[in-house]
């Protein structure tokens, strides 16, 4: 299992009226970090586009564990926990400032889509690159 790490910082416009990171923004962080993982595995957005491929999220589950506030650095760990014929399951964990404080965790199901915009078998090379 290959794990990828990315870091983002909480910005002022991402806060809710209580002064902590809005729950919906976690989805943006997790998406950004999945694309970073894909890029590290050799599948940048540009390369996927050039091949006519897409990876579509079909399900997201998020558990919120600890608040994040303005200026906090968030370290996100991303890895694939399950491979199916046309889909894969990402696990993601967001930690506060590289500590052991888990802020949120997600389970994301994504389907690979071919040039015809229909689900396709995940390429073996992608499975190997993403671990």
């Amino acid at each position: 299992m290959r794990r990828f790490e990315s870091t983002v910082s909480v910005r002022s416009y991402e806060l809710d009226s209580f002064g902590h990171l809005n729950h919906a923004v976690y989805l943006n962080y997790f998406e950004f970090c999945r694309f970073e993982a894909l890029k590290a595995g050799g599948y940048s957005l540009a390369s996927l586009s050039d091949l006519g491929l897409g990876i579509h999220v079909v399900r997201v589950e998020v558990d919120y564990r600890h608040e994040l506030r303005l200026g906090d650095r968030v370290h996100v760990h991303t890895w694939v926990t399950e491979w199916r014929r046309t889909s894969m399951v990402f696990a993601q964990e967001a930690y506060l400032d590289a500590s052991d404080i888990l802020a949120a965790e997600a389970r994301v199901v994504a389907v690979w889509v071919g040039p015809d915009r229909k689900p396709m078998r995940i390429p073996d090379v992608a499975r190997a690159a993403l671990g």
Side-chain angles (χ1 to χ4, degrees), residues 60-125:
V60 176
E61 299 171 24
V62 180
D63 292 313
Y64 302 97
R65 306 290 185 198
H66 188 272
E67 71 177 354
L68 294 172
R69 295 180 123 354
L70 179 63
D72 284 344
R73 291 178 49 81
V74 184
H75 297 270
V76 178
H77 302 247
T78 301
W79 67 100
V80 178
T81 62
E82 186 178 338
W83 294 97
R84 299 177 186 147
R85 192 176 73 74
T86 63
S87 66
M88 58 189 178
V89 178
F90 286 100
Q92 295 185 277
E93 296 174 338
Y95 290 90
L96 172 62
D97 290 324
S99 69
D100 61 353
I101 299 172
L102 180 63
E105 56 190 330
R107 180 179 180 274
V108 181
V109 180
V111 173
W112 282 66
V113 176
D116 61 358
R117 312 310 290 163
K118 294 182 181 176
M120 62 172 274
R121 180 176 173 75
I122 299 172
D124 290 336
V125 67

Side-chain angles (χ1 to χ4, degrees), residues 3-74:
R3 291 172 86 89
F4 302 88
E5 292 188 33
S6 305
T7 303
V8 293
S9 294
V10 177
R11 297 165 289 220
S12 61
Y13 59 86
E14 297 170 327
L15 303 177
D16 63 17
S17 58
F18 299 107
H20 58 254
L21 186 68
N22 182 280
H23 69 281
V25 177
Y26 284 88
L27 296 175
N28 294 331
Y29 286 3
F30 285 139
E31 180 176 45
F32 170 77
C33 294
R34 283 192 308 278
F35 282 118
E36 289 291 295
L38 287 164
K39 182 168 65 174
Y43 287 92
S44 67
L45 281 176
S47 67
L48 287 168
S49 179
D50 289 345
L51 295 169
L53 305 179
I55 301 172
H56 296 185
V57 170
V58 296
R59 181 174 177 80
V60 176
E61 299 171 24
V62 180
D63 292 313
Y64 302 97
R65 306 290 185 198
H66 188 272
E67 71 177 354
L68 294 172
R69 295 180 123 354
L70 179 63
D72 284 344
R73 291 178 49 81
V74 184

